[in-house]
């Protein structure tokens, strides 16, 4: 994850290419219930930070000044999944209601799309950051006109990496689990 960006704007076609790859990520039943809310102007990004800043833990001026120049919300829409899994080839699974899904594939698919976007960002020589919205989600969705009932799985920040960017965050203070501890070959 890159969390510090310079101010160079990312050309719209570069963002378009990243999202065109992201939307081709796998989706269950090819339901394609992933939408992307893209904020790529200083004004909309400023609004995003205003709505999501937790008054208890406000971002510092330095963080805001060096934030991503593009923000993408990958939005998981359950409705195409319920419709798709009501079709004859899927109906026998009994997944016509959201509560029946043991794993919410619309969230899985939005996550796959987010990962593709992060990888595509690296290919485009950008930095990418995935983070959660712990404050103000409902306000953001209402402000930007997202239909009721749909939620983002998180937030993707994109932009050109700042020259003085260095890794920060949990991965710098915690050990990576050893391969053999994490991979269970032919049994746990
Ligand atoms: C579901 C999810 C939620 C995350 N939430 C945040 C977050 O809120 N803020 C943040 O700075 N990073 C967040 N991260 C990034 C992780 O901290 C980061 O991926 C992890 O520490 C490994 O670092 P690396 O991706 O740079 O290798 C999140 C990552 C995932 C997958």
């Amino acid at each position: 994850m890159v969390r510090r960006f310079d101010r160079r704007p990312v050309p719209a076609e570069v963002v378009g290419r990243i999202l065109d790859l992201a939307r081709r990520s796998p989706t269950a039943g090819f339901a394609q219930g992933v939408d992307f809310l893209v904020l790529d102007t200083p004004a909309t990004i400023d609004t995003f930070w205003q709505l999501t800043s937790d008054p208890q833990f406000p971002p510092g001026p330095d963080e805001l000044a060096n934030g991503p120049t593009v923000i993408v919300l990958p939005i998981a829409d359950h409705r195409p999944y319920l419709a798709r899994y009501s079709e004859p080839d899927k109906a026998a699974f009994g997944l016509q209601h959201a509560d029946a899904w043991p794993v919410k594939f619309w969230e899985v698919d939005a996550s796959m799309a987010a990962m593709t976007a992060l990888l595509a960002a690296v290919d485009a020589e950008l930095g990418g950051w995935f983070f959660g919205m712990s404050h103000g989600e409902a306000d953001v969705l209402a402000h930007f006109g997202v239909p009721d009932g749909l939620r983002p799985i998180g937030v993707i920040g994109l932009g050109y990496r700042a020259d003085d960017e260095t890794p920060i965050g949990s991965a710098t203070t915690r050990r990576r689990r050893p391969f053999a501890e994490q991979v269970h070959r032919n049994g746990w």
Side-chain angles (χ1 to χ4, degrees):
M1 299 293 161
V2 167
R3 297 177 175 86
R4 193 174 172 86
F5 303 85
D6 75 24
R7 297 296 91 205
R8 263 182 303 157
V10 181
E13 57 273 21
V14 173
V15 178
R17 164 91 180 140
I18 289 169
L19 296 179
D20 193 37
L21 289 165
R23 75 189 188 89
R24 291 166 194 280
S25 303
T27 63
F30 204 40
Q32 303 173 76
V34 186
D35 287 72
F36 304 91
L37 173 65
V38 182
L39 309 179
D40 63 358
T41 67
T44 52
I45 288 178
D46 189 51
T47 299
F48 174 85
W49 290 123
Q50 281 181 25
L51 295 173
T52 58
S53 294
D54 185 337
Q56 271 195 303
F57 312 102
D62 182 68
E63 265 176 277
L64 291 177
N66 295 289
T69 52
V70 179
I71 285 178
V72 178
L73 271 59
I75 303 214
D77 187 348
H78 58 285
R79 298 170 304 183
Y81 293 83
L82 304 187
R84 174 69 185 96
Y85 280 74
S86 300
E87 289 176 19
D89 61 325
K90 299 284 191 193
F93 293 118
L95 296 174
Q96 290 84 354
H97 303 285
D99 292 345
W101 290 65
V103 174
K104 312 288 187 222
F105 278 173
W106 44 97
E107 293 175 0
V108 173
D109 293 352
S111 306
M112 294 213 179
M115 189 68 231
T116 302
L118 292 171
L119 293 170
V122 174
D123 263 0
E125 301 188 342
L126 299 176
W129 177 22
F130 187 89
F131 57 96
M133 220 193 309
S134 54
H135 184 88
E137 179 188 296
D139 292 337
V140 168
L141 300 182
H143 180 86
F144 291 108
V146 176
D148 283 348
L150 308 193
R151 294 190 64 193
I153 51 130
V155 184
I156 302 167
L158 300 172
Y160 293 100
R161 197 174 155 270
D163 284 341
D164 61 353
E165 187 268 346
T166 52
I168 55 169
S170 304
T172 60
T173 56
R174 295 171 60 83
R175 71 168 191 143
R176 184 174 295 281
R177 294 175 63 196
F179 181 93
E181 178 189 299
Q182 221 171 349
V183 178
H184 310 276
R185 210 164 173 193
N186 304 314
W188 190 277

